[in-house]
Amino acid sequence: MEKITADEAAQLIQDGDAILISGSGGGHAVPEALLAAVERRFLAEGNPRGITSVSIVGIGDRAALGATHLAHEGLLKRAITSALVDSPGLVRLAAEDKIEAYTFPQGVLSQLMRDMAAGRPGLLTKTGLHSFVDPRQQGARQSARTPLDFVEVVNLAGEEWLLFKPVPVSVAFLRGTTADEDGNVTMEQEAVLGEMLAMAQATRRVGGVVVVQVKRLARRGTLCGKQVRIPGILVDFVVVDPQQRQTYATDYDPSYSGELRIPVQDIKPLPFGPRKVIVRRAAMELFPHAICNLGAGVSTGLSTIAAEEGILDDVYLTNEQGIIGGAPITGRDSGGGQNFAAMIEQPSQFDFYDGGGLDLAFLSFAEVDAQGNVNVSRFGDRIIGVGGFINIAQNARCVVFGGTLTAGDLDVAWENGRTIIRKEGRHRKFVPKLEQICYSAALGRERRQVALFVTERAVFRVGDDGLELIEIAPGLDADRDVIAHMGFRPRVAPDVKTMDARVFYPGLMGLASDLRRQPRRHRSPRVAQWHDAHHR
C-alpha cells in the first residue's frame, strides 16, 4: 500500500475507465476528495475522457458535490446508479441525452458487487420484474442513447427471473475512517457500511486499482483486526483527508456511527402539517415488534412520530443502508440512523428484504394510476431514479405509500380536527398513465401483498379491480374534495370509513397504548407454539 494525494489518485484514471464509487446519498462514506480531484484534473487538462461512473446509491448534495463532480461533457460517457436526484449535473446530461444513464434497483447493484467479486455471471433475482427495469419495458434506461445492456429475462425452473450482468470496473474509489501502514481500513466513524469489501474484491478480481480515502493513518498492527472492513491485501493506495466529513451536512455526530445514544426527546419532532398527518395515519398500521422499512421522502418522518409517541422500542425501524432499530434519520442526512441496535452491510440488508423479511414498508409515491401502479422515478426531464424502492415495495408483506393527493402550492390546514383545503395543488398525482412503473400492483396482488395509499385527506387500497377509496378525512366530501382532483375515478368502498380524528389534532395520538393492546404476531409457527405454551 502507498499513501498518495487525491490529485495523484486522479492521475490513475485513464480514458474509458469505469470508476466504482462507494457511499450513500448525502455524503455518507462518499470519497468526496477523490471525486473533486478527478474534476480538477479534467478542467485543467481535458483528461480523462469517456469514463463510466458506477455508484450503488445516488451520491451528492443536490448541488455541486458527489457525482456531479463528474458531470462534464467529454469526461463522462455513462452513469450507472440507482438514483440520479442527488446529482443534478448527471440529471441534466441524461435528460439532454448527452450520456448513457441507467438507474437500477439499489439492492440489485449492492448484491451484484458480491457476484462480481466471486466471478459469477451476474445476479439472478425477481426484483424489477414488470417494472421499468424489466427489459420488456425500458430496461432501467434513462436516456435515449443508452443501450439495452446489463439485464435480461431468463426462465429457470418454470419461472421468470431477471439476470443482471456484471458492470464494468477499472478503479474503485472507497472510503473509511482509519487506515494503517499496511492499508487495513476501519470505518468506526462512518454513518453507513455500504459494500466496501465486495467493491474492493470485485475490483481486485479484474485487475483494477483500489484507492481508499480515509481521515487518518495508524501505525502497523495497532488496528483491531475484527474492526477491519477492507483488508490491506485489497488496497493499492490510501489518500488521507483530515477534513473528511461524516456527511455533507454533518461534520461528525457520534450518534450516527453508534458511538453513543441520544435521549429520545432530542429527536426533533415534525411540525404539524400535511406530512405529519400522512405519517401519523401510516403509523397506525404498526403492530408490536413489526419489522419495517422507512423509504425516502415523506415516509422518513415515521421515525420522528415513533419517537414522539414513545414507540421506538416497540417496533423495529430499518433502512436499506443497513440500519436496524432506533430512528432512521430524516432530512439531508437520511440514510443514516441514531440509537440503532445494529448496523450491517447493505447487501445483507437487501438479502433480508428480498427474502420477505419486512412486515411493513413505508414508502413515498409521486404518481399512481388506476390499477395502483406507482411511479417515483421519472417525470419528463426530471429524473429521480428508484433507489431501493423496487426491492422494498416488491417484497414487503404490506406496503404503505404516503404522499399528498395533489402537488404544487397545495395549502392545507386543520381547524378543530377539520380539514380545510385553502388552495388545491396544481398537479395531480393520481393520473391515467405513468411514464415509468416502479411498483407493479398486479405483481403485488399475485403475491397477496397488502398495498395502501395514505394522503392528507383520504386512504386508498389496491383491490382486485384496482384502486379503491376506503377512508376520508372528517368533514370532506369524497367526490368534491378527493375524486374531483384525480385523473381517474377509483372504486369507492361501500363502507368508506372516516379517518381517525386523532390524526388531525396537534397533540399526541396515544399510539403507545394502541400498539401495546395488540397481540404480538409471530412469523414462525414454532415460535408461536412456544409462546402459547410458556405464556398462558
Side-chain angles (χ1 to χ4, degrees):
M1 184 277 293
E2 278 190 66
K3 177 187 172 186
I4 60 175
T5 67
D7 289 315
E8 288 173 330
Q11 291 292 330
L12 294 167
I13 309 300
Q14 300 177 5
D15 291 354
D17 272 353
I19 308 176
L20 185 56
I21 308 164
S22 72
S24 174
H28 307 60
V30 174
E32 175 64 21
L34 299 179
L35 298 176
V38 174
E39 181 179 39
R40 281 197 302 274
R41 180 189 169 199
F42 178 77
L43 293 177
E45 305 175 7
N47 290 305
R49 303 186 67 81
I51 68 171
T52 294
S53 69
V54 182
S55 63
I56 309 306
V57 191
I59 51 175
D61 63 345
R62 305 201 175 190
L65 302 181
T68 291
H69 284 302
L70 307 179
H72 296 279
E73 288 186 64
L75 170 60
L76 191 67
K77 173 187 176 183
R78 174 194 292 152
I80 301 172
T81 184
S82 61
L84 296 173
V85 66
D86 292 306
S87 308
L90 298 188
V91 173
R92 174 180 54 82
L93 292 177
E96 294 174 359
D97 197 29
K98 293 179 178 176
I99 60 169
E100 298 172 11
Y102 300 88
T103 54
F104 292 113
Q106 186 172 322
V108 164
L109 287 173
S110 180
Q111 295 162 328
L112 182 61
M113 293 301 108
R114 297 184 305 198
D115 291 296
M116 290 167 54
R120 290 187 281 264
L123 175 70
L124 193 67
T125 177
K126 289 184 178 290
T127 297
L129 279 170
H130 309 302
S131 75
F132 84 100
V133 173
D134 193 313
R136 293 166 296 192
Q137 293 190 27
Q138 287 116 319
R141 296 173 293 171
Q142 296 289 9
S143 63
R145 69 167 55 197
T146 306
L148 187 60
D149 290 341
F150 305 120
V151 57
E152 67 177 75
V153 179
V154 298
N155 283 279
L156 182 64
E159 296 185 57
E160 280 190 345
W161 301 77
L162 292 182
L163 176 65
F164 292 87
K165 304 170 189 177
V167 296
V169 177
S170 310
V171 178
F173 279 176
L174 311 180
R175 194 179 104 173
T177 302
T178 308
D180 70 10
E181 294 170 302
D182 292 324
N184 297 299
V185 177
T186 57
M187 298 181 66
E188 63 271 22
Q189 290 187 2
E190 303 306 321
V192 300
L193 297 178
E195 41 282 296
M196 301 294 175
L197 176 60
M199 284 181 156
Q201 291 173 329
T203 306
R204 175 54 59 91
R205 181 185 171 274
V206 296
V209 178
V210 177
V211 185
V212 184
Q213 176 188 312
V214 296
K215 191 173 186 177
R216 57 200 182 193
L217 278 180
R219 184 177 175 181
R220 175 181 292 108
T222 60
L223 297 181
C224 173
K226 200 170 184 179
Q227 301 302 315
V228 171
R229 294 291 176 174
I230 312 173
I233 59 171
L234 301 173
V235 178
D236 297 299
F237 300 99
V238 166
V239 172
V240 179
D241 177 14
Q243 306 306 313
Q244 177 173 292
R245 296 172 64 86
Q246 198 173 36
T247 71
Y248 292 133
T250 301
D251 179 54
Y252 173 62
D253 185 330
S255 70
Y256 285 16
S257 49
E259 295 168 86
L260 61 80
R261 287 173 173 254
I262 63 172
V264 173
Q265 58 266 29
D266 287 355
I267 298 174
K268 188 177 178 181
L270 284 175
F272 186 69
R275 183 181 185 188
K276 189 163 191 171
V277 165
I278 292 165
V279 177
R280 281 174 146 195
R281 172 57 188 85
M284 294 178 69
E285 299 301 317
L286 293 169
F287 57 85
H289 305 286
I291 302 172
C292 315
N293 168 272
L294 305 188
V298 64
S299 295
T300 59
L302 193 136
S303 64
T304 66
I305 297 297
E308 188 178 357
E309 295 281 346
I311 58 174
L312 268 180
D313 294 332
D314 295 284
V315 295
Y316 299 100
L317 306 183
T318 74
N319 67 19
E320 53 268 40
Q321 284 84 354
I323 301 298
I324 298 174
I329 299 168
T330 64
R332 294 176 63 192
D333 282 338
S334 63
Q338 294 172 297
N339 295 6
F340 45 85
M343 179 191 290
I344 65 175
E345 291 190 337
Q346 187 166 235
S348 296
Q349 189 80 307
F350 278 111
D351 289 343
F352 179 67
Y353 286 2
D354 289 356
L358 287 172
D359 295 308
L360 292 162
F362 297 93
L363 300 171
S364 300
F365 69 83
E367 287 184 342
V368 185
D369 69 12
Q371 293 304 308
N373 301 312
V374 181
N375 175 25
V376 297
S377 180
R378 182 165 185 153
F379 316 92
D381 288 343
R382 187 175 170 226
I383 308 172
I384 310 298
V386 289
F389 182 94
I390 294 178
N391 294 85
I392 298 160
Q394 186 172 314
N395 295 302
R397 293 188 171 194
C398 172
V399 59
V400 183
F401 298 103
T404 54
L405 188 81
T406 62
D409 296 329
L410 173 66
D411 186 3
V412 183
W414 287 268
E415 297 177 3
N416 297 318
R418 295 283 180 170
T419 303
I420 310 297
I421 302 166
R422 298 189 291 212
K423 183 179 180 182
E424 192 58 74
R426 300 188 312 274
H427 307 300
R428 293 181 174 182
K429 297 173 72 173
F430 290 80
V431 297
K433 184 176 175 57
L434 304 180
E435 186 169 353
Q436 294 184 334
I437 294 176
C438 305
Y439 170 75
S440 167
L443 188 59
R445 282 192 294 269
E446 181 181 313
R447 296 184 170 193
R448 298 185 178 181
Q449 181 187 57
V450 176
L452 300 176
F453 291 84
V454 176
T455 76
E456 82 289 357
R457 66 185 91 169
V459 179
F460 304 85
R461 71 180 171 204
V462 176
D464 292 338
D465 300 317
L467 214 61
E468 180 181 38
L469 176 66
I470 59 171
E471 293 180 26
I472 189 167
L476 295 189
D477 177 79
D479 282 306
R480 181 193 67 223
D481 298 313
V482 178
I483 297 171
H485 307 289
M486 301 172 67
F488 57 86
R489 184 174 184 87
R491 184 176 182 274
V492 178
D495 57 344
V496 174
K497 295 179 173 60
T498 300
M499 294 173 70
D500 193 311
R502 294 175 299 170
V503 170
F504 305 102
Y505 287 92
L508 292 178
M509 293 178 62
L511 287 180
S513 58
D514 288 356
L515 198 70
R516 289 160 194 165
R517 282 197 299 267
Q518 295 186 49
R520 182 171 178 174
R521 308 179 194 180
H522 297 288
R523 283 184 165 231
S524 168
R526 291 190 182 187
V527 174
Q529 290 169 6
W530 188 91
H531 274 270
D532 287 344
H534 290 79
H535 294 282
R536 287 175 179 170

